[in-house]
Amino acid sequence: MSGRYIDRLILQHEILSREFSTGEYGTIYLGGGTPSLLPPKELERLFRGLSVTGREEEITLEVNPESLTDELLDCCTSLGINRISMGIQSLNEGILKKMGRLAGREDNLRAIDKLRRWAGEMNRSWSIDLIFGFPGQSESSQLTDLDEFLAQNPPHFSLYQLTVEEDTLLYRNCQENRWALPPEEEMEDAWEKGIVRIESAGYERYEISSYCREGLRSRHNMIYWNRGIWLGLGAGAASMMNVNHRFTGTTWKRFLEADPSALVSQGDFYEHEYLNRRDILIEKIMMCLRTRRGLSKEDLVSLFPKDKPEVLFADILARWKGKIILDREGLRLNSVGLDWHSAVMVDILLDLDKYFDYNTPL
Amino acid sequence: MSKEQEKVRNFCIIAHIDHGKSTLADRFLEKAKMVTERDFHNQMLDSMDIEQERGITIKSQAVTINYEAADGQIYRLNLIDTPGHVDFSYEVSRAITSCEGALLLIDASQGVEAQTLSNMYLAMEHDLEIIPVVNKMDLPSADLERVREQVEHDLGLDGDLVYPISAKTGLGVDELLEGIVEWIPAPTGESAAPAQALIFDSHYDAYRGVVIHIRLFQGTIKEGDSILLMHNGSEYKVEEVGHFRLRLERTGVLHAGDVGYIIAGIKVISDIRVGDTITGKTNPAKAPLPGFREVKPVVFSSIYPVDTNQYEELHSAIDKLKLNDASLIYEKDSSAALGFGFRCGFLGLLHLEVVQERLEREFGLNIVLTSPSVRYHINPQKGEAYYLDNPLNFPEPGTIISAEEPYITAAIITPTDFLGNIMTLCMNKRGVQTHMNYLDEKRVELRYDMPLAEVLFDFYDKLKSVSRGYASFDYEVKGYQETDLVKMDILVNGEPVDALSQLVFRQNAQARGRGICKKLREEIPRQQFKIPIQAAIGGSIVARETISALRKDVTAKCYGGDITRKKKLLEKQKEGKKRMKMVGNVELPQSAFLSVLRTDDED
């Protein structure tokens, strides 16, 4: 099965890289699903097939704690992987059980130690993640979880608030009252206190859900948040090879079974989105405002060449005072403002639709 | 009687809502091979989206079906499909008057209901031949014998005459068509007599103006004739007459007994009145047909555009609706909270909702409606008595001697099990029982005099809930009675929002106020600050709720593959917010105004 999947990835890469003349890559990210379950031999084959040079700035592998073996780490070292992102989600044994995780608290701690040793002094980085607000957490247990998490001193981490997606076990459990989400007020208090603890531990919240020690941002993810250009391989992966064209693969089954020629970007294997000027503009603002850097002065000039941002965003700046900043560096949300990203974006959309002529020539 | 006239049958289908009237009408069309299998879609006669969606008929529709009966003769069956809702009961009565026979459609599992009964009385008043038809025989819950008993006992009709059918599968429909030919008498009337045509409906055609739907009782009307509208006194020249097929089919002449249409260069639908009589100018009838009544709106509400720049668009949209809907009346209105809009009168809440939906769907407008009101009669200390339906115009309480509100007579049929619940409900709604009649040992018919305002809001829903859906309800407007009226203001963030003001019966005010505040708390999205919501009468607060401040986002991940979904989500939230109206510094969603319309008294 995995052999077949790797074959297809290599084939897909061959076709797409030819079509878009991709050349060398700045960053590579192996994620989604469980690439760490691949046997090292297959990983090696994949790297060869994708013509990974080892000169890439950042190569990240996503792993599960239970599959982080010495063998895998050795393989990472030899392949030039210099960043590992590990999903642990919590260090609270009860919560991990409830989540149905294979790795318990001790497994997570052991895996973190391993990662730390692997990264060592070798200019390698690692990242772990924590879920906020899972059923069963209280304000104090959530903060304890966070404290223990921070005590691991990760160079980079992600912090997600739980979102209950329809058609999941979590959703059904909540719907049918088997589980209850923690009270909103408690989690909000925990969040506010938590952010303070994170900042006093010396982390920078450089994106809504991403935190790092200075200089250790995920370079790969920054491409998404700047609405850059990337190639995505795999069954459901999205690619953005052109500023106005995004295409997303469909199902596993089709990925494995489709006629190879159908994997060409113009074939019906992909769902294509052709983006107009408004889409591009909205996506650029939406993604950039997720980061503390926000939209730079240059970004603003290229997005709104004929408009003064202080005029265009006058209402927004007034309505969201204390959360959004416009100065000589650009437009951005401050650390309080990041928590209000969607609400601010909705207002920006409304105002742009009202005041901005998307047809003004660039 | 002419040979042609002998082969005409004019009939309507009367039924409680949901008993399958439109499905049966469709089946007739199909049997008459007027629609092929291919272009057959359900409920052909219900042409508006809203009609199809809600499964109700709003306008009367007529269609002529040519049917070859067992005797080998071709009969012209004129079916008049009548509106199925109490809001449109006058239109129903005119349609019924235009027929010699009626199919009384009864759901095989629901049995006889209040509307069935009131429509049947109406049909009997006009001496219609009534054929009881038991529909939905395909359902496992169908109970023909029980319905047959009800037909004999409650309706006093011959149970042996019952036609069991399934409009859905077509079962028994052939037999029913034969029954129509056999049991419903051909129309009488002399083609040589002075013309008397009853207007039972009309519609507006963008190219040809008003198309009048008529039943010709006496005489002949042909193209080129000059006609008189007897109640109106206006005169027109007939341009075209014909029959209703799926489209209009020109015949050049209509004879006594016919159902058909007249086009006579009439530009505005409000120039004609349903129920008026058309006669010839040269040989006019001595008197109009009986039963004419001016239909008056009973519910009033103001419509405002969410975006004040859309006022003109709203104006032209209402104008266009009015072309086809003579019962919709409106005048300009303005509100401090909502700007310029229109005060509109409707036949009932359903009519109001239909107009609202059409403005939104067919014209793409974002609108808000203010809390609906009945029309009160005010006796001031100085000056003439007058009618008032807009809370904004309510005078200083000290300046009026008395106020009166409209009352209705409600007819309710319920299984005896729920009698207690229903009597309590009616009492809470200030109803006074005038009549109670056991239809059989299991079912009771009740009559109540009740304020119309009490029925408007949630009475029907409540009735259904206290009777587990078994009770049925019908009403007619009765007249005015004295009442104790107060104006209740709603304050959002300390500011009165005039568009949310209501006129209420004093004893209900506190409960209503609580209900509204609670509902508004649910409907108004949290904003960056805390918002108090208060209900006040005069200067005193009678109810209060608080909307807590907006919470933060859930901070979720967003990588390359999530952009599309995230963007869509934002666009959706934006659309929701676009439908909000800034009132002071608070954003009120359209649903806030609508929710007041549905607000229950807080018991």
Side-chain angles (χ1 to χ4, degrees):
Chain A
M1 179 65 178
S2 68
R4 173 98 176 132
Y5 194 72
I6 300 284
D7 292 345
R8 304 299 279 191
L9 283 175
I10 293 171
L11 175 65
Q12 189 187 23
H13 178 252
E14 227 174 84
I15 296 167
L16 289 177
S17 62
R18 201 179 319 124
E19 182 165 342
F20 294 103
S21 335
T22 45
E24 276 189 32
Y25 302 110
T27 63
I28 294 175
Y29 195 104
L30 284 95
T34 44
S36 60
L37 290 177
L38 285 176
K41 276 222 150 52
E42 288 291 280
L43 258 182
E44 277 163 31
R45 185 160 76 86
L46 178 63
F47 270 56
R48 268 199 313 280
L50 302 186
S51 324
V52 178
T53 63
R55 289 189 295 274
E56 292 79 3
E57 242 190 301
E58 182 187 283
I59 306 179
T60 308
L61 177 70
E62 233 174 61
V63 303
N64 288 332
E66 63 274 15
S67 56
L68 191 74
T69 58
D70 292 334
E71 193 193 8
L72 180 68
L73 285 173
D74 289 345
C75 170
C76 289
T77 306
S78 69
L79 288 174
I81 289 171
N82 56 13
R83 191 169 178 275
I84 289 180
S85 173
M86 182 164 75
I88 62 160
Q89 310 210 330
S90 174
L91 287 170
N92 178 318
E93 184 69 27
I95 295 293
L96 287 165
K97 276 228 168 72
K98 208 164 176 179
M99 286 175 173
R101 303 286 296 176
L102 290 176
R105 173 187 157 83
E106 290 307 317
D107 304 312
N108 280 343
L109 288 173
R110 264 197 303 277
I112 291 170
D113 278 340
K114 252 187 199 167
L115 266 191
R116 193 182 289 115
R117 278 201 303 278
W118 171 78
E121 302 293 311
M122 298 292 294
N123 199 25
R124 295 185 192 125
S125 185
W126 54 283
S127 176
I128 47 180
D129 64 351
L130 184 73
I131 298 274
F132 228 80
F134 199 82
Q137 292 279 28
S138 63
E139 182 184 337
S140 68
S141 74
Q142 185 66 72
L143 285 171
T144 307
D145 207 1
L146 177 68
D147 286 341
E148 291 193 333
F149 183 87
L150 291 175
Q152 297 304 312
N153 194 19
H156 182 284
F157 65 89
S158 308
L159 189 53
Y160 308 126
Q161 280 176 29
L162 182 77
T163 43
V164 184
E165 306 265 3
E166 270 182 59
D167 290 327
T168 57
L169 182 65
L170 174 62
Y171 177 79
R172 282 190 298 278
N173 278 330
C174 292
Q175 280 289 305
E176 289 157 25
N177 292 322
R178 280 190 293 276
W179 290 356
L181 292 171
E184 276 183 46
E185 301 78 32
E186 265 193 50
M187 280 303 114
E188 205 159 278
D189 289 348
W191 184 259
E192 258 162 37
K193 289 177 189 160
I195 292 283
V196 174
R197 294 186 192 188
I198 292 167
E199 278 174 359
S200 56
Y203 287 96
E204 182 199 10
R205 184 181 187 187
Y206 73 100
E207 190 263 349
I208 287 182
S209 54
S210 309
Y211 304 77
C212 68
R213 295 267 183 228
E214 207 181 334
L216 295 174
R217 300 173 177 194
S218 160
R219 288 173 204 164
H220 185 85
N221 287 341
M222 282 304 287
I223 296 173
Y224 299 135
W225 298 323
N226 284 322
R227 200 178 180 279
I229 297 293
W230 75 88
L231 175 68
L233 302 176
S239 294
M240 186 101 204
M241 293 308 293
N242 200 322
V243 74
N244 63 358
H245 181 197
R246 186 163 48 236
F247 52 94
T248 309
T250 51
T251 60
W252 265 83
K253 192 173 150 58
R254 293 192 64 188
F255 183 72
L256 292 173
E257 290 166 9
D259 162 12
S261 62
L263 295 179
V264 181
S265 70
Q266 300 306 318
D268 68 354
F269 171 75
Y270 296 101
E271 275 167 23
H272 294 272
E273 266 182 286
Y274 294 96
L275 305 158
N276 59 27
R277 175 135 176 243
R278 181 175 176 276
D279 293 321
I280 296 171
L281 203 127
I282 288 167
E283 289 180 9
K284 178 79 181 173
I285 300 172
M286 173 180 93
M287 293 309 278
C288 284
L289 287 188
R290 290 186 66 88
T291 66
R292 277 299 286 282
R293 176 178 160 276
L295 288 155
S296 68
K297 197 84 200 162
E298 294 70 39
D299 288 334
L300 288 171
V301 170
S302 77
L303 291 176
F304 311 108
K306 302 242 173 2
D307 294 81
K308 287 200 171 86
E310 59 272 28
V311 177
L312 200 53
F313 294 106
D315 286 358
I316 300 291
L317 292 167
R319 212 172 315 150
W320 294 97
K321 209 172 164 194
K323 300 191 173 77
I324 194 164
I325 297 160
L326 177 71
D327 59 17
R328 36 217 286 228
E329 319 234 304
L331 181 75
R332 64 192 174 279
L333 295 168
N334 64 14
S335 69
V336 183
L338 285 178
D339 285 340
W340 301 86
H341 178 265
S342 296
V344 176
M345 271 313 297
V346 167
D347 281 351
I348 289 180
L349 245 63
L350 280 168
D351 277 16
L352 285 181
D353 284 356
K354 221 193 250 168
Y355 302 125
F356 184 68
D357 178 5
Y358 295 104
N359 297 315
T360 35
L362 280 167
Chain B
M1 195 184 288
S2 76
K3 269 254 155 58
E4 279 305 302
Q5 197 179 345
E6 275 172 28
K7 285 185 278 177
V8 173
R9 299 290 182 274
N10 298 319
F11 72 103
C12 55
I13 309 174
I14 53 185
H16 192 77
I17 208 157
D18 280 346
H19 282 196
K21 187 158 55 80
S22 296
T23 315
L24 179 59
D26 291 346
R27 194 58 60 194
F28 284 155
L29 297 187
E30 195 197 31
K31 287 283 178 200
K33 302 194 172 57
M34 286 174 66
V35 263
T36 61
E37 202 73 43
R38 201 168 56 84
D39 59 13
F40 186 80
H41 68 104
N42 287 337
Q43 314 207 340
M44 292 288 302
L45 284 184
D46 286 346
S47 49
M48 282 191 243
D49 276 1
I50 302 162
E51 293 188 321
Q52 294 212 351
E53 235 173 65
R54 298 195 173 191
I56 50 166
T57 308
I58 295 160
K59 284 186 74 71
S60 296
Q61 300 268 359
V63 66
T64 300
I65 301 160
N66 288 332
Y67 171 69
E68 187 180 345
D71 62 9
Q73 304 267 21
I74 307 275
Y75 286 84
R76 212 160 75 224
L77 309 183
N78 292 317
L79 161 63
I80 300 174
D81 191 16
T82 58
H85 192 275
V86 61
D87 280 9
F88 307 100
S89 57
Y90 182 65
E91 287 198 26
V92 178
S93 79
R94 293 307 85 195
I96 285 177
T97 312
S98 303
C99 301
E100 277 76 37
L103 307 185
L104 183 66
L105 203 58
I106 306 163
D107 185 303
S109 29
Q110 305 288 324
V112 170
E113 307 209 41
Q115 255 176 26
T116 326
L117 214 57
S118 59
N119 283 335
M120 192 205 57
Y121 291 145
L122 205 59
M124 283 175 136
E125 260 173 55
H126 294 93
D127 290 328
L128 264 56
E129 192 63 45
I130 295 168
I131 302 180
V133 179
V134 178
N135 189 25
K136 305 197 187 176
M137 287 302 296
D138 56 305
L139 297 182
S141 54
D143 187 349
L144 181 61
E145 284 321 305
R146 186 179 70 103
V147 180
R148 204 192 289 277
E149 269 172 43
Q150 290 181 357
V151 165
E152 290 200 353
H153 187 274
D154 306 355
L155 309 179
L157 299 174
D158 183 354
D160 293 331
L161 203 72
V162 165
Y163 283 80
I165 66 157
S166 163
K168 196 169 144 211
T169 66
L171 169 90
V173 173
D174 287 322
E175 291 80 356
L176 180 57
L177 281 165
E178 283 299 322
I180 291 168
V181 171
E182 185 181 346
W183 293 105
I184 295 177
T188 55
E190 292 297 326
S191 287
Q196 273 183 317
L198 175 72
I199 302 177
F200 65 84
D201 198 11
S202 62
H203 74 268
Y204 182 80
D205 181 291
Y207 301 102
R208 325 182 66 183
V210 175
V211 180
I212 313 171
H213 304 201
I214 57 123
R215 157 68 198 273
L216 192 53
F217 280 90
Q218 297 288 348
T220 304
I221 293 177
K222 56 182 191 305
E223 293 171 8
D225 284 357
S226 286
I227 50 168
L228 281 176
L229 269 55
M230 298 186 80
H231 284 281
N232 232 342
S234 51
E235 186 184 323
Y236 297 94
K237 194 160 179 127
V238 177
E239 291 169 2
E240 183 182 321
V241 299
H243 293 153
F244 296 102
R245 302 288 284 166
L246 276 186
R247 288 182 189 78
L248 302 179
E249 190 177 274
R250 186 172 185 172
T251 58
V253 62
L254 293 173
H255 297 286
D258 277 350
V259 168
Y261 70 91
I262 298 176
I263 296 172
I266 304 172
K267 296 281 175 289
V268 187
I269 213 156
S270 44
D271 283 351
I272 62 145
R273 288 276 180 274
V274 168
D276 200 352
T277 303
I278 297 176
T279 190
K281 198 195 167 201
T282 41
N283 183 17
K286 286 202 186 68
L289 295 160
F292 177 76
R293 179 153 68 83
E294 192 85 36
V295 184
K296 292 203 183 84
V298 294
V299 184
F300 300 82
S301 164
S302 298
I303 302 181
Y304 293 94
V306 170
D307 178 353
T308 46
N309 294 325
Q310 282 194 328
Y311 173 76
E312 283 305 326
E313 261 178 83
L314 175 62
H315 192 173
S316 87
I318 294 182
D319 267 343
K320 282 193 188 119
L321 282 190
K322 171 89 186 152
L323 284 178
N324 242 329
D325 186 351
S327 47
L328 172 66
I329 62 153
Y330 67 92
E331 60 187 34
K332 288 186 180 168
D333 194 11
S334 71
S335 132
L338 301 174
F340 290 103
F342 298 94
R343 186 76 185 165
C344 300
F346 307 92
L347 299 179
L349 270 194
L350 177 74
H351 187 209
L352 174 150
E353 283 171 26
V354 165
V355 168
Q356 180 212 338
E357 279 190 46
R358 295 189 68 188
L359 287 172
E360 292 186 331
R361 282 202 217 172
E362 291 170 31
F363 298 92
L365 292 165
N366 274 332
I367 51 171
V368 291
L369 275 82
T370 62
S371 174
S373 171
V374 297
R375 176 165 278 179
Y376 295 94
H377 190 235
I378 307 286
N379 296 308
Q381 280 173 339
K382 287 197 189 100
E384 298 266 311
Y386 59 93
Y387 288 98
L388 172 111
D389 60 66
N390 195 337
L392 302 191
N393 302 332
F394 191 67
E396 280 299 314
T399 65
I400 54 177
I401 301 167
S402 67
E404 292 163 12
E405 66 177 318
Y407 267 66
I408 57 153
T409 299
I412 297 163
I413 295 180
T414 175
T416 48
D417 303 358
F418 309 111
L419 191 57
N421 291 350
I422 288 174
M423 287 166 73
T424 310
L425 172 66
C426 290
M427 221 167 68
N428 290 341
K429 296 290 179 187
R430 295 189 276 147
V432 174
Q433 200 186 90
T434 58
H435 174 89
M436 181 156 122
N437 173 30
Y438 277 82
L439 294 171
D440 54 41
E441 63 279 15
K442 290 204 189 95
R443 284 170 325 124
V444 190
E445 186 194 4
L446 296 165
R447 279 177 189 272
Y448 275 88
D449 286 347
M450 219 184 272
L452 174 62
E454 296 287 350
V455 174
L456 275 189
F457 292 94
D458 58 346
F459 180 76
Y460 191 68
D461 294 340
K462 277 248 167 98
L463 180 74
K464 283 287 169 195
S465 98
V466 300
S467 69
R468 289 200 230 121
Y470 283 109
S472 57
F473 165 68
D474 196 39
Y475 73 84
E476 59 186 67
V477 178
K478 185 171 167 268
Y480 277 83
Q481 286 186 26
E482 194 166 332
T483 185
D484 188 1
L485 199 61
V486 291
K487 180 184 170 199
M488 187 164 64
D489 292 315
I490 303 294
L491 289 78
V492 175
N493 207 20
E495 297 289 324
V497 179
D498 58 3
L500 293 174
S501 294
Q502 303 198 354
L503 298 175
V504 265
F505 181 59
R506 187 184 297 276
Q507 273 98 300
N508 287 355
Q510 187 160 19
R512 176 69 56 80
R514 274 202 299 267
I516 291 175
C517 290
K518 203 167 160 188
K519 201 84 172 191
L520 285 174
R521 194 193 64 198
E522 289 163 16
E523 292 293 337
I524 300 174
R526 294 193 271 201
Q527 316 202 355
Q528 286 187 67
F529 40 85
K530 242 189 217 178
I531 307 168
I533 296 173
Q534 297 152 305
I537 293 169
S540 63
I541 304 293
V542 296
R544 183 193 162 103
E545 292 277 347
T546 306
I547 299 172
S548 51
L550 179 67
R551 290 189 183 276
K552 302 174 170 99
D553 279 353
V554 168
T555 53
K557 68 185 174 67
C558 179
Y559 303 124
D562 306 313
I563 298 178
T564 308
R565 191 175 46 85
K566 266 273 193 298
K567 185 177 61 181
K568 279 190 186 147
L569 198 68
L570 277 181
E571 296 276 10
K572 204 173 130 197
Q573 290 174 328
K574 183 204 78 179
E575 283 310 315
K577 199 161 172 177
K578 222 164 108 184
R579 293 163 72 93
M580 298 214 229
K581 184 88 198 169
M582 265 320 240
V583 174
N585 57 347
V586 178
E587 283 166 337
L588 297 185
Q590 194 186 26
S591 56
F593 295 91
L594 290 179
S595 70
V596 175
L597 182 158
R598 291 244 164 269
T599 297
D600 204 344
D601 293 345
E602 181 75 353
D603 306 314

